[in-house]
Amino acid sequence: MNAQQEIEPYDPSSIESKWQQRWEEQGLYHANVDPDRPKFYALTMLPYPSGELHVGHWYSVTPPDARARFKRMQGFNVMFPMGFDAFGLPAENAAIQRKIHPREWTYGNIDRMREQFRRMGAMIDWRREAVSADPEYFRWTQWFFLKLLEHDLVYRQKAPVDWCPSCNTTLAREQVWGDDRRCERCRTPVIRKELEQWFFRTTRYADELLDFSEIDWPERVRVLQTNWIGRSEGANVVFQTETEDEIEVFTTRPDTLWGATFMVLAPEHPLVPSLTTEDQRDAVETYVLDASRQTAIQRESADREKTGIFTGSYAINPVTDERIPIWIADYVLTSYGTGAIMAVPAHDQRDFEFARKYDLEIRPVIQPVDEPLIDGHQMEFATTHHGTMVHSGPLDGTPANEAVEAAITYLEEKEAGVGAVGYRLRDWLISRQRYWGTPIPVIYCKSCGPVAVPEDELPVELPEDVEWLPTGESPLKLHPSWRFTSCPKCGEEAERETDTMDTFVCSSWYHLRYLSPQYSEGPFDPREYDYWMPVDSYTGGIEHATMHLIYTRFFHKACRDMGIVKGDEPMQQLRNQGLVLGEDSEKMSKSRGNVVAPDELVDRYGADAVRSYLMFFARWDQGGPWSSCGIEGTWRWLKRFWNLVLEPVEESSADSETSRQLRRKVHQTLAQVTHAFESYQFNTIVAALMELMNEMIRARRVGGADKEAWDEAVDIYLRMMAPITPHISEELWQRLGKSGSVHVQSWPEVDELALVEDEITLVVQVNGKVRDRLVMPVSATDDEAKERALQSEGALRFTDGKTIRKVIVVPGRLVNIVAN
RNA sequence: GCGAAAGUGGCGGAAUUGGUAGACGCGCUAGACUUAGGAUCUAGUCCCGUAAUCGGGGUGGGGGUUCGAGUCCCCCCUUUCGCACCA
């Protein structure tokens, strides 16, 4: 009778739900403050409750879950929380389409997704769940707003904003996608609109945000953030106009100031109307109108021929005292610097092209070293290299390395300018003209102006009885009993702010709400904060590199300066997973119909097979196209391992050599798996475990390891696979009569003695090509290795008749014989 | 245009960081077994030549450093991703 037939077949559907329920009852994943144990806060970016968990969610949660479990077995007190980023546009779109309240749609989705997360077998502590649309959550989002307001980190300003005419909302710059500047959600081309908006002063932290020295974040993200912040050093210089106005410009090349032969303002610059002379007025107004009609893509394409128009006015170059004409041109942008530039055509290619076209003076003032004297009339390109200053009055002859500094010093002495730093980063526009968001807790009073809602009146809740009309107006504006109120200061009639906050405000602090989601004395319990923060491991997609990940750092630093949190950074380590594409190698989307639903795979193969396949099928940091066929591989692995472990062991033919080899393989695998977990190389963990299983099957076939070695192999194996495939590991752990849950066991220690090899395979090369392999005792000396290599059959075949020039011995590894 | 990353079998991917290229898996080929399954097991599977032993070639292309290069350096090609008149 075949022993295999007695084994109950591996049936994930019967064991997985059983263990999920039991773990839930036991509170196996509850994480509590415990000062006696080292903590580990593992955080994955919170999902948006769009409806269903797809395979991409599993890809972003399951490997970090496995790593969190690994950390726990290593002795850390691990917190692995989950929540939902529940405000946002899709809920409103769904509300309009389905005629249901956004809350109903959102919370229905959350219920469904929470169940799906349970099926995944993730070690989520659901007691710590936080949902950003809960009043007890956004109460504190509002509280943070008031704190920022108190500390002058919020301001209100009328500003041109990107506006999506379809979603009827303003968009942050990072929410405008593509060369043709379309709305990130509906792809409608964006237009400009002037509105009073609330801003967070992110630029105040620009310099500090450039410092990554305390955090372990990927190079790629650091570069993206650095470019996004876009710091450049230079000077602000003030030019007087002949009409007594002042025009301030920012320049990175103050050393070229003596070559500034004209100025250019952006068409939207506030001084344009007053600077325009009567005879130029028609032409200027036409040009300004034209510029406003241009789409952003037309305006901002760098290879377009430059256009402009003379205002008729002149400014005085503060260092040469010369009259220089003031032009306007659309290549100067209001959104950077001061919206005005000094034009130095000899040393800036854009200014050069403009000057050539409109026949303006080109005056070189920087002479590159070791080159013939340059002449403005004959130049074909601007020279942007640094060099010795010429035609620069008192600074003539200043060498390249001192020129910028000397120019700034000179400007400051003359009080015509100051050294300054410019940034590409803008302040964060947080106002959204939408209903489904955190209401901005401000009341407008005719006599008192904007007044903060008193803290004890928080949260400002959203009215439930709103109408869902696709009119574009926020429903809050159409709700008089909510909108009209009294001033908290003077009691007179007043109006609520009807804008809500960007959802990135909610997600800037959710990691703090997880600490104590029921806490009512503040946004978080300081006791929990002191124990758990900062986040030890933060994982999520690269797409958040310049939005969420800058905002949350800003938020943390601002809170630190307000005395709310401690430490300079919220997330100590960041890692990005790649993107799982559809089987057609395209991005998964409902409209393409290529979304892979994990539920069907779980029904067929079980959560453990899906989890391990997700870790195995690609490098986690790269992702790639999904292939459902491949899951057969991890499915077979689990079935084979199940049978291998449950088959009765025949000890009769055990031999010590097989045992020793098995132990060596077990501990080698353990060392490898431990390292791979630390470095997020999940695919090699599964591969190593498969390899070890193959070795165990082989050991059993050739006669078997002794009971001690075999039991140790199984024990270590179950501990190693527990983080990846929690259900089957737990089931086998129990069936083998081991006590407790496998998930609270300790991570095994590598036995260094077991790793020791007594024989090595020495590779014999002749002129760099492998010609033989010799098995040698580890104790063999270099000379012995060399001798045996020279005498080996494979080597002799290729050294015969040749002179041996050199022999290189790499101890324990190879011998290379150089002969010709 | 500027910047970054990557390029390894039919496919996903390994390679202790300069030392046996292709681990592990999918797929494929052949065979075994059968209570005919969503099977399972065994063997093979980089390319060319060979019955086998064995030999030659091989990590996008070209060159270089080195006893030795997938790995380091230079040039080129391709792909992907950022940024894109940023003063």
Side-chain angles (χ1 to χ4, degrees):
Chain A
M1 180 141 120
N2 189 336
Q4 246 174 326
Q5 285 177 324
E6 293 170 18
I7 301 169
E8 191 184 317
Y10 171 48
D11 175 20
S13 62
S14 68
I15 63 176
E16 290 183 351
S17 53
K18 175 185 78 184
W19 284 113
Q20 283 161 17
Q21 204 182 330
R22 213 167 289 181
W23 294 331
E24 189 89 33
E25 286 160 10
Q26 293 167 351
L28 188 68
Y29 302 134
H30 290 179
N32 298 315
V33 170
D34 179 357
D36 295 334
R37 289 165 65 204
K39 63 92 182 181
F40 191 87
Y41 187 172
L43 182 67
T44 69
M45 291 182 188
L46 90 173
Y48 179 79
S50 54
E52 297 279 335
L53 230 50
H54 55 78
V55 82
H57 287 113
W58 278 61
Y59 196 64
S60 62
V61 174
T62 299
D65 170 62
R67 195 167 181 276
R69 290 167 174 278
F70 161 73
K71 281 284 165 190
R72 177 159 79 170
M73 292 175 79
Q74 279 190 320
F76 289 95
N77 185 18
V78 176
M79 169 161 71
F80 189 68
M82 185 56 66
F84 295 92
D85 185 19
F87 277 135
L89 284 175
E92 284 190 51
N93 295 336
I96 293 166
Q97 272 170 28
R98 300 164 198 225
K99 308 232 183 306
I100 56 170
H101 195 278
R103 172 170 289 112
E104 205 182 313
W105 183 83
T106 304
Y107 281 77
N109 289 345
I110 290 175
D111 286 343
R112 196 153 56 246
M113 290 169 80
R114 203 186 283 121
E115 279 320 300
Q116 288 177 303
F117 272 123
R118 284 207 166 86
R119 257 197 119 184
M120 191 190 273
M123 64 174 283
I124 296 164
D125 181 355
W126 287 106
R127 301 172 312 163
R128 294 181 176 274
E129 182 195 64
V131 178
S132 64
D134 286 349
E136 278 311 298
Y137 186 103
F138 69 71
R139 168 188 184 173
W140 299 108
T141 309
Q142 292 170 341
W143 181 85
F144 278 115
F145 177 93
L146 296 180
K147 291 288 160 193
L148 291 164
L149 188 62
E150 221 172 89
H151 289 81
D152 189 35
L153 287 162
V154 186
Y155 64 95
R156 191 157 174 262
Q157 195 177 64
K158 194 158 199 173
V161 295
D162 289 319
W163 175 267
C164 172
S166 167
C167 300
N168 283 297
T169 187
T170 50
L171 299 171
R173 185 170 60 161
E174 47 274 8
Q175 291 172 314
V176 178
W177 283 14
D179 289 342
D180 49 353
R181 298 182 46 84
R182 286 167 183 271
C183 170
E184 69 166 342
R185 297 207 192 271
C186 69
R187 309 299 156 112
T188 305
V190 162
I191 61 168
R192 281 178 176 275
K193 193 168 174 176
E194 289 268 333
L195 287 171
E196 286 279 354
Q197 310 282 323
W198 289 99
F199 289 86
F200 284 178
R201 293 192 196 275
T202 40
T203 52
R204 200 173 275 185
Y205 289 87
D207 262 327
E208 201 193 332
L209 289 168
L210 287 167
D211 178 9
F212 300 95
S213 57
E214 282 181 38
I215 50 179
D216 170 17
W217 282 29
E219 167 83 16
R220 204 169 148 210
V221 174
R222 300 198 316 258
V223 168
L224 282 168
Q225 294 204 348
T226 303
N227 292 343
W228 190 260
I229 293 164
R231 183 183 202 274
S232 46
E233 288 183 20
N236 283 334
V237 185
V238 177
F239 287 65
Q240 300 287 336
T241 69
E242 291 185 327
T243 50
E244 305 289 300
D245 284 312
E246 288 188 348
I247 303 176
E248 192 178 40
V249 302
F250 174 70
T251 177
T252 55
R253 292 296 303 274
D255 55 327
T256 65
L257 190 46
W258 283 261
T261 51
F262 60 102
M263 296 189 80
V264 189
L265 310 187
E268 302 85 359
H269 195 283
L271 287 177
V272 168
S274 62
L275 285 172
T276 304
T277 55
E278 278 317 308
D279 52 329
Q280 289 295 96
R281 190 161 301 278
D282 285 350
V284 167
E285 282 176 357
T286 307
Y287 186 84
V288 170
L289 193 64
D290 267 1
S292 72
R293 278 186 183 148
Q294 305 245 4
T295 65
I297 180 166
Q298 287 168 322
R299 170 114 182 234
E300 287 181 15
S301 63
D303 45 4
R304 200 169 58 109
E305 191 180 321
K306 308 221 169 342
T307 60
I309 190 93
F310 180 42
T311 60
S313 290
Y314 290 83
I316 305 300
N317 181 321
V319 294
T320 62
D321 291 330
E322 287 175 326
R323 285 176 90 220
I324 57 173
I326 304 169
W327 287 63
I328 63 172
D330 62 9
Y331 77 92
V332 175
L333 310 171
T334 41
S335 57
Y336 186 78
T338 61
I341 61 159
M342 64 176 209
V344 185
H347 304 294
D348 182 289
Q349 186 60 25
R350 296 155 300 177
D351 299 345
F352 180 85
E353 288 166 23
F354 195 80
R356 273 278 180 269
K357 180 165 175 182
Y358 294 106
D359 199 24
L360 297 158
E361 189 191 347
I362 297 171
R363 185 192 299 173
V365 293
I366 300 294
Q367 176 62 44
V369 186
D370 299 333
E371 278 179 39
L373 266 178
I374 50 178
D375 172 357
H377 298 287
Q378 278 152 30
M379 292 173 81
E380 286 174 34
F381 295 99
T383 63
T384 52
H385 299 289
H386 290 254
T388 307
M389 294 174 71
V390 295
H391 302 129
S392 296
L395 295 188
D396 271 356
T398 308
N401 58 347
E402 296 169 19
V404 171
E405 207 180 317
I408 292 173
T409 308
Y410 181 78
L411 278 171
E412 287 176 350
E413 279 167 10
K414 278 199 72 178
E415 294 184 358
V418 286
V421 176
Y423 298 96
R424 213 182 78 102
L425 183 75
R426 309 281 85 207
D427 277 338
W428 176 11
L429 168 63
I430 60 133
S431 298
R432 294 293 179 274
Q433 290 67 45
R434 305 297 304 194
Y435 169 83
W436 192 235
T438 303
I440 295 173
V442 169
I443 290 168
Y444 298 101
C445 169
K446 282 198 185 73
S447 39
C448 309
V451 180
V453 173
E455 234 179 81
D456 57 13
E457 287 177 26
L458 298 184
V460 176
E461 292 206 51
L462 291 163
E464 286 297 310
D465 53 332
V466 289
E467 280 200 72
W468 288 100
L469 303 170
T471 58
E473 232 16 305
S474 164
L476 296 179
K477 286 202 167 168
L478 307 173
H479 196 288
S481 65
W482 182 86
R483 184 174 173 184
F484 298 105
T485 182
S486 56
C487 173
K489 254 191 199 164
C490 69
E492 293 298 308
E493 281 183 8
E495 272 184 52
R496 286 190 190 282
E497 167 67 82
T498 56
D499 284 355
T500 52
M501 289 186 228
D502 181 4
T503 58
F504 279 118
V505 181
C506 314
S507 59
S508 290
W509 73 282
Y510 72 102
H511 55 286
L512 299 176
R513 195 61 191 165
Y514 285 162
L515 297 170
S516 48
Q518 274 84 45
Y519 192 67
S520 57
E521 311 292 306
F524 55 84
D525 182 342
R527 274 184 56 252
E528 299 270 344
Y529 183 97
D530 289 343
Y531 181 70
W532 293 108
M533 283 294 287
V535 171
D536 295 280
S537 160
Y538 194 30
T539 54
I542 188 77
E543 69 274 14
H544 291 110
T546 52
M547 304 182 248
H548 164 63
L549 289 172
I550 284 185
Y551 295 144
T552 195
R553 291 180 69 214
F554 154 77
F555 209 88
H556 185 91
K557 290 170 189 295
C559 286
R560 173 204 59 197
D561 291 345
M562 297 187 294
I564 298 168
V565 303
K566 298 167 192 168
D568 295 328
E569 294 281 350
M571 287 96 182
Q572 211 285 318
Q573 185 191 57
L574 175 75
R575 291 293 181 269
N576 303 111
Q577 80 268 3
L579 201 62
V580 184
L581 304 173
E583 302 212 47
D584 54 2
S585 298
E586 298 288 330
K587 196 174 171 183
M588 279 193 200
S589 72
K590 276 182 193 164
S591 56
R592 280 203 188 85
N594 62 351
V595 176
V596 176
D599 297 61
E600 293 163 28
L601 293 167
V602 174
D603 289 343
R604 193 156 155 186
Y605 300 101
D608 283 342
V610 177
R611 286 173 61 101
S612 46
Y613 182 58
L614 277 165
M615 289 182 220
F616 182 63
F617 93 101
R619 286 180 55 150
W620 184 69
D621 58 347
Q622 290 195 194
W626 177 263
S627 159
S628 285
C629 315
I631 198 171
E632 293 287 345
T634 51
W635 168 237
R636 279 175 205 149
W637 166 52
L638 296 178
K639 280 194 290 188
R640 273 181 210 155
F641 187 70
W642 174 273
N643 292 334
L644 180 69
V645 169
L646 296 180
E647 265 170 31
V649 186
E650 292 162 40
E651 276 181 75
S652 52
S653 53
D655 75 278
S656 62
E657 183 50 31
T658 308
S659 302
R660 204 160 66 237
Q661 280 175 11
L662 179 62
R663 285 208 74 216
R664 188 179 304 134
K665 186 71 182 174
V666 166
H667 286 274
Q668 279 171 352
T669 305
L670 176 59
Q672 202 183 334
V673 167
T674 307
H675 176 257
F677 262 122
E678 292 290 0
S679 51
Y680 297 81
Q681 292 168 297
F682 302 106
N683 54 341
T684 62
I685 297 174
V686 181
L689 289 174
M690 287 173 169
E691 210 179 320
L692 174 56
M693 180 185 70
N694 292 341
E695 183 75 15
M696 287 167 73
I697 291 172
R698 216 169 296 135
R700 177 165 281 185
R701 196 189 306 146
V702 299
D706 59 46
K707 183 167 166 35
E708 207 178 321
W710 182 261
D711 288 349
E712 185 201 33
V714 171
D715 184 90
I716 291 179
Y717 203 107
L718 286 173
R719 291 172 199 244
M720 286 194 291
M721 83 191 292
I724 291 175
T725 53
H727 311 88
I728 188 176
S729 320
E730 187 81 312
E731 179 73 17
L732 291 172
W733 188 262
Q734 189 209 35
R735 286 191 185 220
L736 294 179
K738 294 168 180 286
S739 62
S741 165
V742 69
H743 301 300
V744 295
Q745 304 304 312
S746 61
W747 192 251
E749 293 285 331
V750 175
D751 180 353
E752 298 292 336
L753 283 176
L755 291 178
V756 173
E757 314 242 8
D758 32 30
E759 284 181 335
I760 52 128
T761 302
L762 187 78
V763 171
V764 181
Q765 294 183 337
V766 178
N767 295 330
K769 292 191 175 177
V770 180
R771 298 305 184 185
D772 215 337
R773 290 184 175 86
L774 304 173
V775 176
M776 295 190 72
V778 157
S779 56
T781 64
D782 286 4
D783 285 343
E784 284 164 352
K786 184 173 164 180
E787 272 319 298
R788 284 204 47 199
L790 285 167
Q791 300 307 319
S792 72
E793 203 188 315
L796 286 172
R797 224 178 11 242
F798 290 87
T799 52
D800 187 39
K802 290 182 179 170
T803 314
I804 291 165
R805 302 284 171 197
K806 200 171 175 183
V807 180
I808 283 108
V809 180
V810 181
R813 200 162 262 167
L814 67 74
V815 174
N816 189 12
I817 301 162
V818 186
N820 59 11

